[in-house]
Amino acid sequence: MSNVWVCEPCDRTFGSFEAHQQHLQFNYDHHDTHCHCSSCDYWFVDVTAFSAHMKHSTFHNICPLCKVDFLADKAKFNSHMLQHGKCPFNACGMIFQWNQLDDHLQNVHFHCTKCKKTFLSMDEVRGHRETSTLHF
């Protein structure tokens, strides 16, 4: 049995994925309900399908900070990600351009005034001061 692709707005069937894609592309009255991925030029029946494509597609490698899509070039994506810095606190996990990480650590997180060590919360700073041998 061969695969059949169905256009939901008009119930038309297609014998190939390519024919279905072409139909979605050129039937402009369907564009209100269909979503287009401009990176790989595929059309999707709805926002849910498009979102799933963007989340799970191995064709896309999207930087979570600057939203650049490196498509299938994983090596270029990995190289690009080295230009960003991730906050070392797992509970925070924010990603920054490399020159913004220091500002984040200084202005968002808490610091011990004696040794300048950085913490996620003021409670952690207090615990550090109470248990650290550096501050006796």
Side-chain angles (χ1 to χ4, degrees):
M1 185 170 123
S2 65
N3 288 332
V4 175
W5 284 264
V6 178
C7 176
E8 291 180 12
C10 66
D11 289 330
R12 201 166 156 199
T13 60
F14 300 90
S16 73
F17 175 76
E18 291 77 16
H20 182 245
Q21 288 291 303
Q22 186 175 15
H23 170 77
L24 293 175
Q25 181 179 358
F26 293 110
N27 282 279
Y28 297 105
D29 58 328
H30 294 354
H31 288 196
D32 290 346
T33 58
H34 289 73
C35 296
H36 180 248
C37 177
S38 58
S39 296
C40 58
D41 201 28
Y42 283 153
W43 286 84
F44 300 90
V45 295
D46 57 27
V47 174
T48 303
F50 176 70
S51 297
H53 163 76
M54 293 304 289
K55 185 175 182 180
H56 301 294
S57 173
T58 57
F59 190 76
H60 296 284
N61 290 286
I62 301 172
C63 174
L65 178 66
C66 60
K67 306 302 182 210
V68 172
D69 188 348
F70 292 90
L71 303 176
D73 194 342
K74 189 71 169 175
K76 191 178 262 189
F77 171 75
N78 289 338
S79 174
H80 170 81
M81 289 306 294
L82 294 175
Q83 297 175 18
H84 295 303
K86 185 175 181 182
C87 181
F89 298 104
N90 289 336
C92 178
M94 293 185 70
I95 300 172
F96 302 90
Q97 290 183 354
W98 65 271
N99 58 346
Q100 296 173 329
L101 180 59
D102 286 339
D103 287 341
H104 169 78
L105 291 173
Q106 291 300 315
N107 298 316
V108 174
H109 297 294
F110 301 86
H111 309 279
C112 174
T113 55
K114 292 191 176 187
C115 69
K116 307 299 183 209
K117 190 171 179 181
T118 305
F119 298 90
L120 189 58
S121 70
M122 188 50 89
D123 286 340
E124 288 181 5
V125 174
R126 285 187 202 105
H128 162 76
R129 287 182 188 155
E130 292 171 3
T131 60
S132 175
T133 57
L134 297 173
H135 305 312
F136 290 108

